[in-house]
Every structure is written in C-alpha cells, then in structure tokens.
Amino acid sequence: MSWQTYVDDHLMGEVEGVHLTAAAIIGLDGSVWAQSTAFPAFKPEEVSNIVKDFDEPGFLAPTGLFLGGAKYMVIQGEPGAVIRGKKGSGGITVKKTGQALIFGLYEEPMTPGQCNMVVEKMGDYLIDQGL
C-alpha cells in the first residue's frame, strides 16, 4: 500500500459522518511521505520544532505549535508520543512513530476526540509495523 493510500483512505476517511480537514505523514527528517491536498505548506523549522517537543516535552508550550504559519495552542498530550493543539473551532493532533509524524487537522463539527482517534490509530498501526 502506498503512503498516499494511508492518507487518502485511512486518515481522510469518514468517521461518524465527519472527516479531517487535512492530514499528512511526514518523516522525522521533514520529508513528506504523503499528504492531503489541503495540508498546509510548512517550513522545515516548524517540523523540527515539533520533533524537538517529542524529545523535550513542553518545548512548544510557551510559543505554541506552528504549522504552515498557523499557531496552535498546545494542550494535553502524551509526552514523547502525541502532541495536541487547539486553534479556534479546530485543532491538530500529531502522533510520533519510529520514523514519521502522523498529522491530522480538523474543524468543527469533528471533535478533538474523533481527530485523536483517527491519527493515533494510524500511528499505533505503523508502530506495530515497525515504522
């Protein structure tokens, strides 16, 4: 299965009548493995700062998480495993695997919990596959 299929069929798939607004699988080095058409153009330092927060939990808390120039307030996550952010009526979930970051962006009516479930389920699957 191609990485694009993981994004299109699994991350962007419908959950309880709603779906993510954008999603991507990005290598820990910042390389794009696959992304949805609506995923924002991001700067390399935005991804490296996210990776740094996984290595040093709390690194992003004072400044916020930036992706594509948009600022998300960092909210509860799982140190070293998941970062969650909120921006207006939407937000972001980032799950770290051994080799990549799984990104999910959402807007209402999708809930934070639905976004977390989609992104974390994909991340857990890839971790189980050794990725």
Side-chain angles (χ1 to χ4, degrees), residues 53 58 60-61 64-65 72-79 82-88 90-93 106 112-113 116:
D53 192 83
L60 291 174
L65 181 158
Y72 295 85
M73 179 179 64
V74 178
I75 54 176
Q76 103 289 354
E78 296 164 33
V82 180
I83 299 171
R84 298 183 184 106
K86 186 87 174 120
K87 176 179 169 277
I92 186 170
T93 301
Y106 71 93
N116 296 341

Side-chain angles (χ1 to χ4, degrees), residues 109-129:
M110 181 172 249
T111 66
Q114 290 168 321
C115 177
N116 296 341
M117 183 189 70
V118 170
V119 172
E120 293 176 37
K121 185 175 170 186
M122 171 62 68
D124 290 341
Y125 171 78
L126 294 177
I127 289 168
D128 289 346
Q129 301 304 305

Side-chain angles (χ1 to χ4, degrees), residues 18-43:
V18 295
H19 53 81
L20 296 172
T21 54
I25 302 172
I26 297 175
L28 295 177
D29 62 358
S31 61
V32 176
W33 294 9
Q35 65 184 23
S36 64
T37 53
F39 195 77
F42 60 87
K43 299 179 183 123

